[in-house]
Amino acid sequence: MVQKVAVIGAGPCGLSSVKACLDEGLEPTCFESSDDIGGLWRYKEKLVPGRTNIYQCVIINSSKEMMAFSDFPPPAELPNSMHHTEVLLYLRLYAQTFSLLQHIHLQTKVVGLRQRPDFDATGQWDVETETADGRRQTHVFDAVMVCTGHYTQPHLPLSSFPGIESFKGRYFHSWEYRNAKGLEGKRVVVIGFGNCGCDIAVDISRVAERVYLSTRSGAWVVGRVGPGGLPFDTTWISRLVVTLSSLFPTFWAQIPVINDDLPGRIISGRIQVKPNVKEFRETSVVFTDRSIIDEVDVVVFATGYNYSFPFLPPDLQAKSGYRLRLYKHVIPPTLAHPTLAVVGFIHGLGAINSMAEMQARWSTRVFKGLISLPAEDVMVKEIETETATMNQKFVCSERNPLQVDVIPYTDSLAEQVGAKPNILQLLFTEPALVLQVVLGPYTSYQYRLSGPGKWAGARQAIFAQKQRIARPFRTRAVSEEPGNEASSKLSILLAFITGAALLCYLIYNWHLPFFHSSELTFL
């Protein structure tokens, strides 16, 4: 019987995994190699190989409500797009509120993980750790949750750039970037058009003579501000919008770049977009369109990361396509006992936190035997089918090995947990709440409305999320005039549109007999 669980990493995924264990009555022990919690979101003055790193200007791409844990709404006064210091503050509050810190061992690195000799009978693991002073120790655990992330091993493909060895300027991977200090008046080339590359290009462009942003294939660029000045993701990521958008060809074959300033820097000429780099010369960079930039001082390679789990046995690192061969992107299908879970190794158009939290909730119930997994051959076949479908729908690569549709994926785990919101039941019992769940922002509080882990505050958290979103904008008190006839008519119209939209949502998802979705034809 599983009782003692090792959690590797104390970032957002590790913290929610520790809490998931506690919620299920398990005994978690979390090992964190650094001297503090927070993982990626803790800015570090000193770079340490093998650990995540962020630059000083980082702002989270998902708004605060969309990245919040399911039973811990963010403080209303925090900005919607939080700076990394505010994300870390939120994580600290979460850890303190649920008494997670006492289960975390800092400056303790996991250096080895292996199945015990009697694994086929017990499902137990030997976890070898090393402290900062070099002391090694082996612990026995009933289950293990790997929450180390995948932004620790910089990918620097110098062999793909002829002439780099002759380049006399400075070059480095974006993992090393902290701020634009020392780049004043320089000519800088940034290679890579992902979120990191665009962030760094914008940051450097404020002080550099000129910044050139090199891209192989381009990307969709989306700002954080949506209609009405609200966060973009709270207006466009909802159950209804995602359902309706699934009926049309998608633009989101790859994750878009989230950047508010990039268009302005490009239109003002401070950043010039260039195609892929063909070769380097002593002081120049030659691009595939044959254009040449001379007197280049610095090159930043924002070329992504290689994912690595060096402590895992090789047989548990088998791949399906580019991704690890994991059932539900969590558990290796070949284990005699499903007592190892990889949490947070996931990617989608939305915050990782909510998906990883549900992965943790699902995993702990698998550990306890409350959720039964299919036979190994069934899981392997499902993984292969899922991988093929994913590669057809999304642009996957070594650097972006997997991508999922966030709501369907999380719902699939929540359904097995017993926490998926019952839309049809809510329609008859709490119609006001179902409107928020279907039409409002897709926030994780809805996974605490019922079932295991039900939270009494979930309903209020959902109704109050718009107030928390609006709070940072309020600089003065505004009184509302009662009896506004135009406002009343608008409310009636909106109610009618809302009802019609909700009916369409229900028809599509439950395939009611009088209007099947497969009969739709679009010109």
Side-chain angles (χ1 to χ4, degrees):
M1 184 174 111
V2 171
Q3 191 61 38
K4 297 173 60 180
V5 180
V7 177
I8 307 175
C13 300
L15 294 177
S16 60
S17 293
V18 170
K19 184 179 180 298
C21 288
L22 294 173
D23 289 346
E24 289 292 342
L26 302 176
E27 300 173 13
T29 300
C30 180
F31 300 109
E32 168 56 45
S33 62
S34 70
D35 59 1
D36 202 357
I37 67 170
L40 175 69
W41 296 106
R42 186 170 62 84
Y43 178 80
K44 307 162 190 72
E45 290 294 338
K46 183 179 179 181
L47 296 175
V48 179
R51 293 182 187 167
T52 57
N53 180 51
I54 53 174
Y55 32 93
Q56 287 183 344
C57 66
V58 166
I59 295 173
I60 195 167
N61 288 334
S62 299
S63 62
K64 66 179 181 181
E65 293 295 325
M66 304 297 279
M67 59 78 65
F69 294 117
S70 61
D71 52 1
F72 194 68
E77 62 272 13
L78 287 178
N80 286 292
S81 295
M82 296 187 287
H83 186 255
H84 64 80
T85 55
E86 291 154 333
V87 177
L88 182 59
L89 170 62
Y90 173 75
L91 296 177
R92 292 196 191 283
L93 292 173
Y94 179 76
Q96 293 165 5
T97 299
F98 296 107
S99 302
L100 307 182
L101 298 175
Q102 65 195 61
H103 301 280
I104 300 173
H105 295 253
L106 299 175
Q107 294 187 302
T108 306
K109 181 180 180 180
V110 172
V111 295
L113 177 66
R114 55 188 175 274
Q115 301 170 34
R116 303 208 76 213
D118 60 352
F119 182 85
D120 286 348
T122 65
Q124 291 182 325
W125 298 83
D126 283 329
V127 179
E128 186 178 4
T129 61
E130 182 178 22
T131 58
D133 58 6
R135 288 184 294 112
R136 290 203 173 198
Q137 187 176 357
T138 299
H139 317 259
V140 178
F141 285 96
D142 301 316
V144 178
M145 305 178 81
V146 179
C147 312
T148 53
H150 49 283
Y151 296 111
T152 57
Q153 303 295 327
H155 176 65
L156 190 56
L158 297 182
S159 61
S160 300
F161 296 93
I164 187 65
E165 67 281 352
S166 65
F167 180 63
K168 292 185 176 181
R170 177 190 173 201
Y171 64 87
F172 58 92
H173 191 273
S174 57
W175 178 83
E176 299 181 41
Y177 183 78
R178 320 310 303 284
N179 52 49
K181 185 177 180 180
L183 298 177
E184 296 87 350
K186 305 291 187 181
R187 282 193 170 194
V188 181
V189 173
V190 178
I191 299 176
F193 206 84
N195 280 297
C196 183
C198 292
D199 275 353
I200 290 173
V202 167
D203 195 41
I204 296 174
S205 72
R206 304 186 195 285
V207 300
E209 176 190 319
R210 187 65 58 87
V211 174
Y212 302 90
L213 183 55
S214 171
T215 174
R216 287 184 298 179
S217 57
W220 292 100
V221 179
V222 178
R224 293 179 177 87
V225 182
L230 297 174
F232 177 86
D233 54 1
T234 64
T235 58
W236 287 105
I237 303 181
S238 70
R239 287 185 175 274
L240 178 65
V241 170
V242 170
T243 296
L244 294 178
S245 64
S246 68
L247 302 174
F248 300 91
T250 179
F251 292 112
W252 310 124
Q254 64 186 54
I255 301 296
V257 169
I258 309 298
N259 199 293
D260 302 295
D261 300 324
L262 182 61
R265 305 308 288 177
I266 292 175
I267 204 169
S268 66
R270 305 315 305 155
I271 293 177
Q272 184 175 343
V273 178
K274 304 291 290 183
N276 199 26
V277 172
K278 179 182 179 182
E279 64 176 329
F280 285 90
R281 297 174 184 171
E282 289 188 350
T283 60
S284 306
V285 178
V286 181
F287 298 92
T288 53
D289 64 352
R290 300 182 181 180
S291 62
I292 301 174
I293 304 299
D294 295 316
E295 299 179 5
V296 175
D297 301 294
V298 178
V299 176
V300 182
F301 286 89
T303 44
Y305 293 82
N306 298 313
Y307 64 88
S308 173
F309 302 95
F311 48 81
L312 281 180
D315 60 317
L316 295 181
Q317 299 196 48
K319 293 183 179 181
S320 177
Y322 298 110
R323 58 175 281 200
L324 286 178
R325 183 177 292 176
L326 300 172
Y327 181 65
K328 298 291 186 183
H329 299 288
V330 181
I331 292 179
T334 56
L335 293 174
H337 297 276
T339 54
L340 175 70
V342 178
V343 176
F345 190 54
I346 196 73
H347 208 196
L349 184 57
I352 290 178
N353 285 10
S354 59
M355 289 190 287
E357 183 188 23
M358 187 55 70
Q359 287 180 327
R361 293 174 65 185
W362 180 80
S363 299
T364 53
R365 294 184 69 79
V366 170
F367 293 163
K368 293 179 66 176
L370 299 174
I371 295 175
S372 298
L373 302 185
E376 178 183 337
D377 60 332
V378 176
M379 288 192 284
V380 170
K381 185 175 181 180
E382 183 175 327
I383 291 170
E384 292 173 350
T385 301
E386 187 180 66
T387 300
T389 302
M390 180 175 64
N391 289 335
Q392 289 177 355
K393 186 172 185 179
F394 301 112
V395 179
C396 297
S397 65
E398 287 287 352
R399 245 54 58 206
N400 181 36
L402 61 94
Q403 187 172 330
V404 298
D405 290 309
V406 174
I407 297 179
Y409 172 73
T410 311
D411 273 355
S412 70
L413 297 178
E415 187 170 19
Q416 294 190 18
V417 170
K420 181 182 175 181
N422 189 325
I423 306 297
L424 200 57
Q425 181 181 356
L426 289 175
L427 179 64
F428 294 103
T429 58
E430 288 203 70
L433 178 59
V434 80
L435 292 179
Q436 292 290 329
V437 171
V438 174
L439 305 183
Y442 168 71
T443 49
S444 59
Y445 317 125
Q446 55 191 254
Y447 294 115
R448 294 286 183 178
L449 289 169
S450 60
K454 179 180 178 180
W455 174 45
R459 183 179 182 279
Q460 179 56 30
I462 292 172
F463 279 114
Q465 58 194 6
K466 289 187 177 180
Q467 284 72 36
R468 291 192 299 274
I469 292 171
R471 174 71 177 275
F473 300 125
R474 292 177 179 168
T475 57
R476 59 189 175 87
V478 179
S479 59
E480 296 184 2
E481 297 182 8
N484 189 309
E485 184 178 352
S487 177
S488 177
K489 290 180 179 179
L490 180 61
S491 298
I492 295 173
L493 176 61
L494 289 175
F496 176 79
I497 295 174
T498 297
L502 180 59
L503 179 60
C504 291
Y505 176 85
L506 292 172
I507 290 171
Y508 179 83
N509 283 278
W510 277 275
H511 306 299
L512 300 184
F514 54 84
F515 188 69
H516 195 281
S517 61
S518 63
E519 298 171 356
L520 291 174
T521 301
F522 295 93
L523 300 178

